[in-house]
Amino acid sequence: DQSVIAGGQHNIIANDSDNSFIGGGGSLLKIAGGIWGITGSNAIISSSHKAAIVAGASNIIQVGSFSSIIGGGENNRISYRSPYSVICGGGLEGIDSYWGNHIGYDSKNSFIGGGSRNYIVTGSQYASIVAGDANTITHDSTFAFIGGGFDNDITGSSRSFIGGGNNNEVTIGHHSVIVGGHTNLIEDSRYSFIGAGKGKSLARRNTIISSDYSIIGAGHGNYISGSNYSSILAGSGSHIDNYDNV
């Protein structure tokens, strides 16, 4: 089937994965309870033709993720019908794939540059996470983007953007943007924007809820709810509630 394993230990290219490549890496293969599991080995598994793992350890390309690439790192995974996807590297050494980066579950044409514990899953096609730790794009968030940071989440929000920071969240907020900062939230709000800000607690974060085309520039504890086309430019503790065009 014209596949190649160039080096390393216990690396696997499984059935119906023709024209695939593993460059090297890998270490130990563990088999327990009659089910083969992979510890250390790089593997391209079942119906993932024209796929490649260049180096690293415990990296896996799984069923139906053809023409996908893992460049290196450890515990990274492209799984279950996510073709044309790329994980450049990253991940951490650990006892399971929790520590790695993961693209899967019908998330084709997606990209993770590096970092660790970054996830693009559940139908989030054409999505990207450049780096960082524990960032997530999920639930049909097509064309979504997270630049970096820690524990940022885009859920059910196509074409949305989080630049960086930590604990920022866009949920059901199509075409919405959080540039950075800490603990900012856009929920059920299309075409909305939070520039930055830092909430020391959930009660003090900047929040836009059910407010299309609305803006919070910066600050903390600012809140827009049920108010389309509204803006708070900066400061703290400002509220707009159920008023449009404010």
Side-chain angles (χ1 to χ4, degrees), residues 33-103:
I35 300 174
W36 64 279
I38 300 166
T39 302
S41 302
N42 295 310
I44 297 173
I45 300 173
S46 188
S47 302
S48 294
H49 53 275
K50 298 181 181 177
I53 298 174
V54 180
S58 299
N59 298 308
I60 304 173
I61 296 176
Q62 288 186 307
V63 177
S65 296
F66 51 87
S67 300
S68 291
I69 298 173
I70 296 176
E74 297 191 43
N75 286 307
N76 298 306
R77 180 172 298 191
I78 299 174
S79 66
Y80 304 113
R81 301 182 303 276
S82 296
Y84 307 108
S85 293
V86 176
I87 297 175
C88 292
L92 296 172
E93 182 179 0
I95 60 173
D96 56 39
S97 61
Y98 166 79
W99 298 100
N101 299 305
H102 185 188
I103 297 173

Side-chain angles (χ1 to χ4, degrees), residues 169 182-185 199 201-207 220-222:
E169 183 178 352
H182 174 67
T183 322
N184 298 299
L185 171 66
S201 66
L202 294 179
R204 296 295 294 162
R205 66 184 176 184
N206 292 317
T207 302
H220 61 87
N222 298 307

Side-chain angles (χ1 to χ4, degrees), residues 94-184:
I95 60 173
D96 56 39
S97 61
Y98 166 79
W99 298 100
N101 299 305
H102 185 188
I103 297 173
Y105 310 108
D106 295 310
S107 297
K108 68 179 182 180
N109 294 86
S110 290
F111 172 88
I112 295 176
S116 60
R117 300 185 298 169
N118 296 309
Y119 287 75
I120 299 174
V121 293
T122 322
S124 297
Q125 301 174 6
Y126 302 94
S128 298
I129 298 174
V130 178
D133 179 41
N135 298 302
T136 303
I137 297 174
T138 188
H139 288 91
D140 300 311
S141 297
T142 56
F143 296 97
F145 178 93
I146 296 176
F150 171 73
D151 198 23
N152 298 303
D153 296 308
I154 296 176
T155 303
S157 304
S158 61
R159 301 180 187 271
S160 289
F161 174 98
I162 296 176
N166 61 283
N167 298 106
N168 297 305
E169 183 178 352
V170 179
T171 301
I172 316 176
H174 303 300
H175 301 267
S176 291
V177 173
I178 297 175
V179 177
H182 174 67
T183 322
N184 298 299

